[in-house]
Amino acid sequence: MTGSVRYVPKLKSREEIEYMLNWIPRVLVPADERTRWSTREYARGGTAVCRWILGLDAASPVTQKRLGQPVTCDDARHEGYESQVAMAQGGYPAVSPPLPPLSINFLNGVDDWVKWATGSPNGFHSPDDWPFPRETPPRP
């Protein structure tokens, strides 16, 4: 397979996630003040992911699990999967005891920012003026 690149999950650096946490409310939300509530919920999902990965929130954004340890790449990817499951179930996380439903836009934000934080080519993409090096795919 010429030109194909295998995605190897890896959490972004703490500094880059902290920068994103500050970027979201400064750039994404004010730019959409005149728009719908949906953008705020999407940004809230991204903020929740960043805060959780950085250890600022103990409970994960969708399942509300408390790990008691630093978040790993696999933990983050699993929470992204749980956000997809909840979206398929009308916003209800697949946990017991049941949790109240979450907005689809919040869940979509969680999913997109988990993909960003784990280096997936899908999901949220850093802006053009991002001050961190971009991972470039290896050449075949």
Side-chain angles (χ1 to χ4, degrees):
M1 290 195 303
T2 304
S4 68
V5 177
R6 184 168 177 254
Y7 157 57
V8 178
K10 178 182 152 198
L11 275 179
K12 296 204 180 276
S13 71
R14 180 172 187 84
E15 293 78 22
E16 191 166 0
I17 294 172
E18 285 173 345
Y19 190 90
M20 178 60 80
L21 180 61
N22 291 314
W23 182 87
I24 293 169
R26 186 173 40 99
V27 177
L28 185 63
V29 175
D32 291 311
E33 282 289 326
R34 65 197 178 286
T35 62
R36 303 167 232 51
W37 168 82
S38 62
T39 302
R40 285 189 173 277
E41 283 294 291
Y42 180 75
R44 193 171 70 85
T47 300
V49 166
C50 293
R51 289 184 55 82
W52 176 59
I53 290 173
L54 292 170
L56 302 173
D57 291 337
S60 62
V62 177
T63 61
Q64 296 298 301
K65 289 183 183 171
R66 296 176 184 272
L67 299 175
Q69 64 187 22
V71 175
T72 66
C73 188
D74 286 341
D75 296 331
R77 291 179 68 222
H78 182 74
E79 195 69 5
Y81 168 77
E82 291 293 342
S83 71
Q84 293 174 9
V85 170
M87 281 189 274
Q89 298 183 130
Y92 289 91
V95 295
S96 182
L99 293 172
L102 298 164
S103 80
I104 298 301
N105 292 310
F106 173 82
L107 293 167
N108 192 38
V110 168
D111 185 43
D112 280 355
W113 262 279
V114 161
K115 288 175 181 170
W116 169 81
T118 60
S120 172
N122 306 311
F124 185 80
H125 294 281
S126 302
D128 290 339
D129 62 348
W130 199 243
F132 295 89
R134 297 194 184 272
E135 292 184 13
T136 55
R139 296 197 167 218

